[in-house]
Amino acid sequence: MRLPRSSRDDRGVSVVIGTVLLIGMVTMSMAVLGATVLSTDLVDSPPRAEFVYEEGSGTVTIGLTEVQRLTAGETEIKLQDGGSCGTWDGSGDLEEGDVTTVDKIDCGESLDKGDVLQVIGSETLLDTYELRE
């Protein structure tokens, strides 16, 4: 049995459809891959925080008004001349509203007018404060 021969060539249609489908699949794959890559943090950004300070008699109270990626155990408070006043009180992630207090005993009996406190988180200097009293 012989099939009737078509006057037109139908083979070209399947090649075009295959090409369009292949381009569509590659485009969708690249879109998904791009969205995945761009939505992740490829570089660890350093912690950021905004602080407020309140001085008392021989003490300084430090509070957080804004914070990103900062933990208590990695946050050190020290004097600019190198003396350490310890780490932030508490444990875990720090949040807006957290408060700690530093006194002369924490800083080795040296917390006088003109001293500069430094807040360091994850080996990054976050803020400095010069004592006024």
Side-chain angles (χ1 to χ4, degrees):
M1 175 178 188
R2 287 188 160 187
L3 295 174
R5 200 163 229 245
S6 174
S7 62
R8 55 184 189 170
D9 190 9
D10 289 337
R11 291 182 301 171
V13 173
S14 63
V15 172
V16 172
I17 290 174
T19 304
V20 169
L21 287 174
L22 180 63
I23 291 172
M25 288 188 305
V26 169
T27 303
M28 290 300 290
S29 298
M30 289 298 119
V32 169
L33 180 65
T36 303
V37 168
L38 293 176
S39 68
T40 60
D41 274 342
L42 297 177
V43 178
D44 288 336
S45 59
R48 294 186 321 145
E50 295 289 327
F51 300 92
V52 292
Y53 301 88
E54 184 177 317
E55 293 184 41
S57 57
T59 64
V60 177
T61 302
I62 306 169
L64 283 165
T65 57
E66 288 183 34
V67 64
Q68 291 179 351
R69 297 183 182 104
L70 193 60
T71 59
E74 295 178 348
T75 305
E76 182 182 8
I77 302 164
K78 61 190 283 185
L79 293 172
Q80 188 173 19
D81 63 13
S84 178
C85 298
T87 59
W88 194 280
D89 294 337
S91 63
D93 291 336
L94 293 176
E95 298 175 354
E96 188 175 316
D98 286 349
V99 175
T100 191
T101 302
V102 176
D103 60 19
K104 286 186 174 199
I105 296 170
D106 295 334
C107 296
E109 299 294 327
S110 175
L111 198 57
D112 301 316
K113 180 179 180 179
D115 285 346
V116 177
L117 285 176
Q118 296 178 327
V119 181
I120 301 170
S122 299
E123 300 178 8
T124 302
L125 179 63
L126 299 173
D127 200 20
T128 60
Y129 177 73
E130 183 174 346
L131 297 170
R132 298 180 191 145
E133 295 181 8

